[in-house]
Amino acid sequence: MERSSVKLGSRTLWRQVLFPFLMPLFCSGLSEQVRYSIPEEMAMGSVVGNLAEDLGLPVQDLLTRNLRVIAEKLYLTVNPENGNIVVSDRIDREFLCFQSPLCVLPLEIVAENPLNVFHISVVIEDINDNPPRFLQNSSVLQINEFAIPGTRFGLESAIDADVGPNSLQSYQLSLNEHFSLAVKDKTEGKDAPELVLEKPLDREKQSSQLLVLTAVDGGEPVLTGTAQIQIEVTDANDNPPVFSQSTYKVSLRENVPAGTSVLTVIATDQDEGVNAEVTYSFKSLGEDIRDKFILDHQNGEIKSKGPIDFETKRTYTMSIEAKDGGGMASECKIVLEILDENDNVPEVVFTSVSNSITEDAEPGTVVALFKTYDRDSEENGRVSCFVKEKVPFRIESSASNYYKLVTDGILDREQTPEYNVTIIATDKGKPPLSSSTSITLHVGDINDNAPVFHQASYLIQVAENNPPGASIAQVSAFDPDLGSNGFISYSIIASDLEPKSLWSYVSVNQDSGVVFAQRAFDHEQLRSFQLTLQARDHGSPALSANVSMRVLVGDRNDNAPRVLYPTLEPDGFALFDTVPRAAEPGYLVTKVVAVDADSGHNAWLSYHVLQASDPGLFSLGLRTGEVRTARALGDRDSARQRLLVAVRDGGQPPLSATVMLHLIFADSLQEVLPDLRDEPLPSDPQSELQFYLVVALALVSVLFLFVVILAIVLRLRQSHSPAVSDCFQSGLCCKTRPGVSLNYSEGTLPYSYNLYVASNCQKTSHFLTLTPEMVPSRDLCMEASVAVSVTEENNKIVSDSVASNHQAPPNTDWRFSQAQRPGTSGSQNGDETGTWPNNQFDTEMLQAMILASASEAADGSSTLGGGAGTMGLSARYGPQFTLQHVPDYRQNVYIPGSNATLTNAAGKRDGKAPAGGNGNKKKSGKKEKK
């Protein structure tokens, strides 16, 4: 079949020629940004271009900067390894841009660290993938036989989804002698084909004809579409219908309900009868219009059919054909403008959110980047954002519809570890629409909090004798930071103990803060000690806090009382005390002195009589330990008495010690010795031999000392010294009575003790002086005297006594004042129910007992005490006893049975009158049996 070809109008030809030249200018005028041009329908994975190179981004930073594409639908993605933009989905230009001459796909590229937004454009080029097509494959055209040559009959236009050279270019009509093809420029740039009558028709010759209309595009290869036209020749109808307007313009709001009347078109025909009956129909109607609107063929009313959305399409252009009964038709154009309604809620889309914000972030730090979308137009599409909660964040505008969420205050993770931020987007429509989007922001921790101990200081009490390695305390500190910033280690940084010995006493577990004792504590050696502990976190830099801990070592009753006086001598001999036979009730016989190394109730001592030869003869002070006569000595009472005294402490359970007291009733030392010899003792040859040897040695020593003293006195007479003469004046020394000179200057005592006794003088004087050890002692008595000397070189005991011819009765005015009462270390608590005494003076009492014994140098005729000798001279210093390391406690010395106390030389210089004392102590020559 032969075909006739008709080309489109000159306007279409100029458009095809100028489009390639105007395209670069149009694109460059859009914006200065990166542009790519790709054909549609590219295979997925195809490379569009290297974005990293075009943007100047280092390829190695792409992964860390999280370069990505932000779009509603990802047609293109960025390869983070090389920065190439690749096709990730099917790209159909006809779907994206319909028949727009320029199809640009805008892309937004977001890069983090720091946050940047890059705008690129991808031009989608058309390919010839759509052939022209007619909506109806066949149509019937009725033409009156009286039609004048040159009459034009409009035909349905073909549709080609492609644009540019690939779009519809021309129509071709199969060869026919009556008709030719012409193209008429119509609405929306569409070229409508027209059938032109070339020769008159003769219905009688040919009542119908079949023509083929072909649409041809300009692609390579060329694609075509065909439609059949059935020509039916009718009788004459010479007046076509005429519309009231050639173009109708009307506006319609979106979202109107279906069936809403849009417009009614009216066409009139001057013919009569059937030729004047007009019917209406859509001409060249696209699918988008056919689905949205319906036309009443009889009255020409157009109504809405489906939902009309401004955001989908803003204007609709349609052609209405009016045809009379004779087949003559005319057309009109309708332009329908859709008015926008505020029917779209604004949306908030976060393009980038920081995973964590450190609490030391400065105000203004970018936390998140987001964009707002509103498909409405003008005021309905203008969006404003604000933060709903009262949080330290604010919104800053970044670019077109882009916003930044930045910090607007100080962050403190310990108070608020995370924030739920709600961003509300509101448009300016009437009424306004809004939406909200929430995100959770986590606050990262820094080491901004030092550890804090739960207590300002610790006071720990630990009982002594604790097991080594036992836990004695635990310190605990709190750090609100997280991770290593809140992990605490404990250590000891200071103590009042020696640094070298600190770790041998205590240690601390660095993780738990438990303090352990490394050894068993002894209250008697260490009462308390101070520690400084430190809690340090593992942050950078590390923070720390210190706390003091005082450890008090509590006492346990682990020390039994120790009796200082009386005790057994190292050689095994027992001590004994003499009591005057005329002693009245309440007479102070002796005192049991004991100490306890413990403290508190554990050292509160009480004295008890366990066994006594005569239970009613003596009384024992419960707290003082003083032994006193309870009644006068009877004729039937034995002269020798024994008391078994127990000393108990106040601990639980109580500990005790015992001591046996040997008491002898005698008025002089001479009475004591026969009693000792007459006492029946078990036969012990060895003991008897030792006794005789001691007696013999004592006699020899006494004779030697007598000769020495006599020689010194004779030499002093010859020297005629005034100091010596003064001694022999009346009132100081008596020529008719013997005197006793006692000189104790052995051992390590810093003073020597000289005792001078004068008897039966017109004026009696008592001298008990203490002189420094370096000053030689002088015996000033002119009469013969008996001297008792204790020396460390010979390690022997010499004792002698001279009884006075006239012994005075015991002095009843011997009571001590409250300050002079015997007690441990000068205690003034004389009553048995007094306050708790001090217990730290065991060595003091030992020295006191030694000095008290040393003062018993006077015999029965001495006026020391105002009567007969109250206690026998106890020459009990054997070779085993030494005075090394014994402090001087002369002020604690008391002499039982008298009111005399020893004073030092300083007291003499101060003008204080020395007091005298009388007492006899004797060592038994035989061992006592308990």
Side-chain angles (χ1 to χ4, degrees):
M1 175 182 280
E2 296 181 358
R3 296 176 178 272
S4 63
S5 175
V6 179
K7 293 186 179 181
L8 300 178
S10 60
R11 183 182 300 177
T12 303
L13 295 176
W14 277 106
R15 185 186 302 164
Q16 295 176 358
V17 173
L18 295 177
F19 182 81
F21 298 95
L22 295 177
M23 184 69 181
L25 298 177
F26 180 77
C27 294
S28 62
L30 293 177
S31 62
E32 296 182 2
Q33 57 186 359
V34 179
R35 285 180 176 269
Y36 298 97
S37 179
I38 62 172
E40 64 174 331
E41 302 292 346
M42 286 187 69
M44 286 188 292
S46 301
V47 177
V48 176
N50 191 295
L51 182 62
E53 179 179 358
D54 296 335
L55 295 179
L57 300 176
V59 177
Q60 60 272 16
D61 296 342
L62 297 182
L63 288 175
T64 58
R65 299 199 63 181
N66 193 15
L67 191 68
R68 63 188 185 278
V69 177
I70 302 298
E72 294 183 8
K73 186 173 182 181
L74 295 179
Y75 294 100
L76 302 173
T77 59
V78 179
N79 189 334
E81 296 180 357
N82 50 29
N84 290 333
I85 297 181
V86 296
V87 178
S88 60
D89 198 357
R90 178 175 177 267
I91 301 176
D92 188 357
R93 185 186 185 280
E94 289 72 32
F95 175 79
L96 294 176
C97 303
F98 194 53
Q99 289 189 340
S100 175
L102 179 62
C103 184
V104 179
L105 180 62
L107 297 179
E108 295 171 352
I109 309 298
V110 176
E112 298 180 356
N113 301 321
L115 288 173
N116 288 320
V117 179
F118 304 97
H119 299 272
I120 68 172
S121 300
V122 179
V123 179
I124 308 300
E125 297 178 352
D126 183 49
I127 63 174
N128 192 22
D129 58 342
N130 293 283
R133 65 184 181 88
F134 293 91
L135 296 179
Q136 296 180 356
N137 294 329
S138 64
S139 62
V140 177
L141 182 61
Q142 293 180 349
I143 303 175
N144 192 272
E145 61 179 354
F146 292 148
I148 301 173
T151 302
R152 294 172 178 262
F153 301 94
L155 301 177
E156 181 184 11
S157 299
I159 298 174
D160 193 339
D162 296 328
V163 296
N166 297 324
S167 64
L168 178 64
Q169 300 295 322
S170 63
Y171 293 94
Q172 296 175 359
L173 183 66
S174 61
L175 294 177
N176 186 277
E177 62 179 352
H178 294 95
F179 298 94
S180 64
L181 187 65
V183 177
K184 181 182 179 180
D185 188 14
K186 288 200 173 184
T187 61
E188 295 186 355
K190 295 181 179 179
D191 297 324
E194 291 180 333
L195 194 62
V196 181
L197 182 62
E198 296 291 339
K199 293 173 64 175
L201 297 175
D202 187 359
R203 182 179 178 276
E204 288 70 26
K205 290 183 179 180
Q206 190 176 0
S207 61
S208 65
Q209 296 183 27
L210 182 63
L211 302 178
V212 177
L213 180 62
T214 302
V216 181
D217 63 16
E220 291 293 335
V222 176
L223 300 179
T224 62
T226 61
Q228 292 181 351
I229 302 173
Q230 182 70 34
I231 303 296
E232 293 181 357
V233 181
T234 63
D235 288 336
N237 181 19
D238 55 350
N239 291 295
V242 178
F243 285 96
S244 60
Q245 297 181 21
S246 61
T247 302
Y248 292 88
K249 292 185 178 181
V250 65
S251 60
L252 179 66
R253 290 191 174 276
E254 64 173 333
N255 301 326
V256 294
T260 301
S261 178
V262 178
L263 175 67
T264 300
V265 294
I266 299 174
T268 59
D269 194 327
Q270 295 180 1
D271 293 328
E272 294 180 356
V274 178
N275 295 329
E277 294 179 0
V278 179
T279 60
Y280 302 92
S281 63
F282 284 116
K283 189 73 172 179
S284 301
L285 187 63
E287 293 181 359
D288 55 341
I289 298 177
R290 184 177 300 171
D291 294 337
K292 303 293 183 183
F293 304 97
I294 57 175
L295 175 63
D296 191 331
H297 298 286
Q298 299 301 324
N299 57 18
E301 183 181 10
I302 302 174
K303 295 181 180 181
S304 62
K305 178 183 179 182
I308 299 175
D309 189 4
F310 171 84
E311 289 72 36
T312 302
K313 194 170 184 178
R314 301 188 177 189
T315 59
Y316 292 91
T317 302
M318 62 190 77
S319 296
I320 303 298
E321 182 184 60
K323 184 181 290 187
D324 60 16
M328 297 191 71
S330 63
E331 297 179 5
C332 71
K333 183 174 72 172
I334 298 176
V335 178
L336 180 59
E337 181 182 1
I338 307 301
L339 301 180
D340 183 34
E341 292 284 338
N342 190 24
D343 59 343
N344 290 281
V345 176
E347 300 177 3
V348 176
V349 178
F350 283 89
T351 59
S352 179
V353 179
S354 298
N355 295 329
S356 179
I357 319 157
T358 58
E359 55 183 328
D360 61 344
E362 295 291 335
T365 302
V366 178
V367 176
L369 183 68
F370 63 93
K371 183 179 181 180
T372 59
Y373 294 95
D374 195 326
R375 299 180 64 186
D376 294 326
S377 62
E378 296 181 355
E379 292 296 321
N380 296 331
R382 294 181 182 178
V383 181
S384 60
C385 301
F386 64 92
V387 179
K388 178 181 179 181
E389 298 86 2
K390 187 176 181 181
V391 292
F393 299 97
R394 71 174 186 273
I395 297 175
E396 292 182 355
S397 179
S398 175
S400 176
N401 296 332
Y402 269 92
Y403 299 90
K404 294 186 295 184
L405 183 64
V406 300
T407 57
D408 190 30
I410 298 175
L411 304 178
D412 190 353
R413 189 207 62 80
E414 288 71 34
Q415 293 184 359
T416 309
E418 64 181 20
Y419 292 91
N420 291 321
V421 181
T422 302
I423 297 177
I424 298 179
T426 305
D427 60 23
K428 298 185 181 300
K430 293 182 179 180
L433 300 178
S434 62
S435 65
S436 61
T437 303
S438 298
I439 59 171
T440 301
L441 301 176
H442 299 277
V443 181
D445 183 52
I446 62 171
N447 192 25
D448 58 342
N449 291 278
V452 178
F453 282 95
H454 290 160
Q455 295 182 216
S457 61
Y458 291 84
L459 181 63
I460 307 301
Q461 295 186 356
V462 182
E464 65 175 332
N465 302 328
N466 56 289
S471 170
I472 62 174
Q474 182 176 12
V475 296
S476 178
F478 171 72
D479 194 326
D481 294 326
L482 290 180
S484 59
N485 296 332
F487 185 77
I488 300 175
S489 295
Y490 302 91
S491 61
I492 300 175
I493 61 173
S495 173
D496 56 0
L497 299 174
E498 290 293 333
K500 295 182 179 179
S501 62
L502 170 61
W503 302 113
S504 65
Y505 280 91
V506 290
S507 65
V508 62
N509 187 296
Q510 64 175 1
D511 298 326
S512 63
V514 177
V515 180
F516 296 95
Q518 299 297 105
R519 63 164 64 178
F521 298 146
D522 189 356
H523 173 79
E524 289 71 37
Q525 295 182 0
L526 181 65
R527 298 293 179 91
S528 65
F529 57 91
Q530 189 88 12
L531 299 176
T532 300
L533 294 96
Q534 183 181 82
R536 176 182 294 269
D537 58 28
H538 289 198
S540 180
L543 302 178
S544 62
N546 298 338
V547 70
S548 63
M549 174 183 289
R550 184 167 184 83
V551 180
L552 304 179
V553 181
D555 183 48
R556 290 180 183 269
N557 192 24
D558 57 344
N559 291 278
R562 185 160 61 93
V563 178
L564 301 180
Y565 179 84
T567 58
L568 293 178
E569 289 297 321
D571 56 1
F573 290 97
L575 299 178
F576 67 90
D577 293 305
T578 60
V579 184
R581 294 182 180 274
E584 297 179 357
Y587 176 81
L588 178 61
V589 178
T590 186
K591 182 175 181 178
V592 179
V593 180
V595 294
D596 195 319
D598 296 323
S599 61
H601 283 277
N602 296 329
W604 198 344
L605 301 182
S606 61
Y607 300 86
H608 309 273
V609 177
L610 296 182
Q611 184 179 359
S613 301
D614 190 345
L617 186 56
F618 298 97
S619 64
L620 179 63
L622 179 63
R623 297 300 179 189
T624 62
E626 295 178 352
V627 178
R628 297 178 181 271
T629 56
R631 59 179 175 83
L633 181 66
D635 297 337
R636 294 184 177 183
D637 294 330
S638 174
R640 296 176 58 87
Q641 299 289 334
R642 293 185 181 181
L643 291 179
L644 181 60
V645 177
V647 184
R648 297 194 187 97
D649 56 25
Q652 291 296 331
L655 302 178
S656 62
T658 59
V659 62
M660 179 65 75
L661 300 180
H662 299 273
L663 305 177
I664 300 176
F665 283 89
D667 292 333
S668 63
L669 186 60
Q670 288 80 358
E671 297 181 12
V672 176
L673 295 179
D675 291 340
L676 294 177
R677 286 192 296 270
D678 296 340
E679 180 184 4
L681 293 174
S683 61
D684 188 356
Q686 184 68 22
S687 299
E688 294 179 357
L689 179 59
Q690 292 180 355
F691 174 74
Y692 291 131
L693 291 176
V694 170
V695 172
L697 182 61
L699 292 176
V700 173
S701 300
V702 168
L703 292 176
F704 175 74
L705 290 176
F706 179 77
V707 173
V708 171
I709 293 173
L710 183 60
I712 294 174
V713 171
L714 294 175
R715 179 164 295 183
L716 290 176
R717 279 185 177 181
Q718 295 176 2
S719 62
H720 300 285
S721 173
V724 177
S725 301
D726 293 339
C727 178
F728 296 98
Q729 295 177 3
S730 63
L732 294 178
C733 299
C734 184
K735 298 181 180 181
T736 60
R737 296 295 179 188
V740 179
S741 175
L742 303 179
N743 184 9
Y744 296 89
S745 59
E746 77 163 313
T748 59
L749 296 177
Y751 296 90
S752 60
Y753 304 87
N754 299 327
L755 178 65
Y756 298 95
V757 182
S759 302
N760 292 340
C761 297
Q762 295 177 358
K763 186 176 181 181
T764 305
S765 300
H766 310 284
F767 298 92
L768 181 59
T769 62
L770 293 91
T771 59
E773 189 177 16
M774 298 303 295
V775 179
S777 58
R778 297 179 180 179
D779 296 329
L780 304 179
C781 296
M782 301 190 60
E783 297 293 337
S785 62
V786 178
V788 179
S789 175
V790 180
T791 60
E792 186 176 2
E793 289 78 5
N794 51 21
N795 293 324
K796 297 178 181 179
I797 301 175
V798 180
S799 63
D800 193 6
S801 61
V802 180
S804 176
N805 293 332
H806 302 281
Q807 297 184 1
N811 186 6
T812 59
D813 191 16
W814 60 272
R815 295 289 191 270
F816 296 142
S817 66
Q818 183 68 19
Q820 294 174 330
R821 287 222 172 170
T824 57
S825 187
S827 172
Q828 298 180 3
N829 302 324
D831 56 336
E832 296 182 2
T833 60
T835 58
W836 174 242
N838 193 353
N839 61 353
Q840 303 296 320
F841 305 97
D842 47 344
T843 56
E844 300 178 10
M845 297 310 302
L846 178 61
Q847 176 68 14
M849 295 302 99
I850 296 172
L851 298 179
S853 301
S855 65
E856 300 175 6
D859 56 3
S861 62
S862 174
T863 60
L864 187 63
T870 60
M871 301 183 67
L873 178 60
S874 178
R876 53 185 178 275
Y877 303 98
Q880 296 85 353
F881 181 77
T882 61
L883 298 179
Q884 296 180 1
H885 310 292
V886 179
D888 183 12
Y889 287 96
R890 294 175 299 278
Q891 299 162 350
N892 297 330
V893 174
Y894 68 93
I895 301 176
S898 70
N899 58 358
T901 58
L902 295 182
T903 59
N904 55 18
K908 184 177 180 180
R909 289 192 300 269
D910 294 338
K912 297 180 181 180
N918 189 16
N920 294 323
K921 290 183 171 62
K922 186 68 177 181
K923 183 192 306 183
S924 174
K926 302 178 181 179
K927 292 185 177 179
E928 299 289 346
K929 282 190 177 181
K930 293 184 180 180

